[in-house]
Amino acid sequence: MLLLAPMLLLEAPSLAQSLFDRPPTRVMIHNPEATEGLRNRTTITVVVPEDAGNALRSIVLRQLPNIDQWDWGQSEPRVYFGDYSLRGKGATGLASAVVSDLEGVLNIQLTPAVQPGQTVNVVFRGFNPDSSIYQWSTELLADGEDPVRYVGPTLRSAVYEQDPFR
């Protein structure tokens, strides 16, 4: 019996998880062209605090109930660092995105992970849906194995009707 005890302890599941000391709480969405049907450059901005204790590996957005789904576009997202810029272009290959239309979930993987003290901007190109207010809940995951999911703020973007006099 005493010989089996060390073997059982070795096979116990690991309780270690990747987490933040101080999770990111400043998460924003920007959509500079907020008219329905027009091409958009939707940007998700996340500020990772200097004392986060871990890098940011992924961002998950879940669209809250709405008649229309947001169009994140078909092309690969672009990423740039620093404060949000209306004309910020970014580079490809630093993030990948998987959209689940049925569930309204956008999963963004950042490669490499965003280090503490950095601000990351992820830019998507799509088209604005019909006029309405669109909202998403956010989750932030730290870099590493078995990350803890941190709930972030609710994001909101308004899309307006076409102005016939424009």
Side-chain angles (χ1 to χ4, degrees):
M1 187 68 150
L2 289 175
L3 293 174
L4 289 176
M7 291 187 348
L8 291 174
L9 289 176
L10 289 175
E11 292 185 26
S14 173
L15 299 176
Q17 289 187 308
S18 301
L19 49 88
F20 291 112
D21 292 339
R22 183 171 169 228
T25 56
R26 290 188 52 211
V27 182
M28 296 148 279
I29 188 167
H30 311 276
N31 186 22
E33 184 56 72
T35 304
E36 64 183 3
L38 295 184
R39 191 156 177 73
N40 67 30
R41 274 195 36 205
T42 307
T43 304
I44 308 299
T45 302
V46 179
V47 178
V48 182
E50 291 206 16
D51 56 350
N54 201 346
L56 174 66
R57 170 60 67 191
S58 64
I59 307 161
V60 179
L61 274 65
R62 294 182 194 286
Q63 186 172 341
L64 299 179
N66 199 315
I67 294 172
D68 296 311
Q69 293 293 316
W70 192 262
D71 179 10
W72 296 103
Q74 300 298 318
S75 60
E76 183 178 350
R78 299 178 73 86
V79 174
Y80 67 94
F81 295 94
D83 293 335
Y84 168 74
S85 170
L86 188 62
R87 302 200 191 307
K89 296 213 186 293
T92 57
L94 299 176
S96 61
V98 176
V99 179
S100 170
D101 287 329
L102 295 176
E103 299 169 5
V105 177
L106 170 68
N107 191 333
I108 305 166
Q109 296 292 321
L110 302 163
T111 309
V114 179
Q115 297 302 312
Q118 290 185 310
T119 298
V120 64
N121 298 279
V122 185
V123 182
F124 295 89
R125 289 188 148 296
F127 289 91
N128 285 336
D130 288 339
S131 64
S132 186
I133 295 176
Y134 295 86
Q135 299 181 100
W136 299 266
S137 64
T138 59
E139 292 179 353
L140 306 152
L141 287 80
D143 190 23
E145 290 185 33
D146 194 21
V148 172
R149 292 181 173 270
Y150 290 89
V151 176
T154 299
L155 304 180
R156 178 178 292 167
S157 185
V159 175
Y160 303 100
E161 290 182 20
Q162 282 278 6
D163 182 356
F165 300 107
R166 186 171 182 203

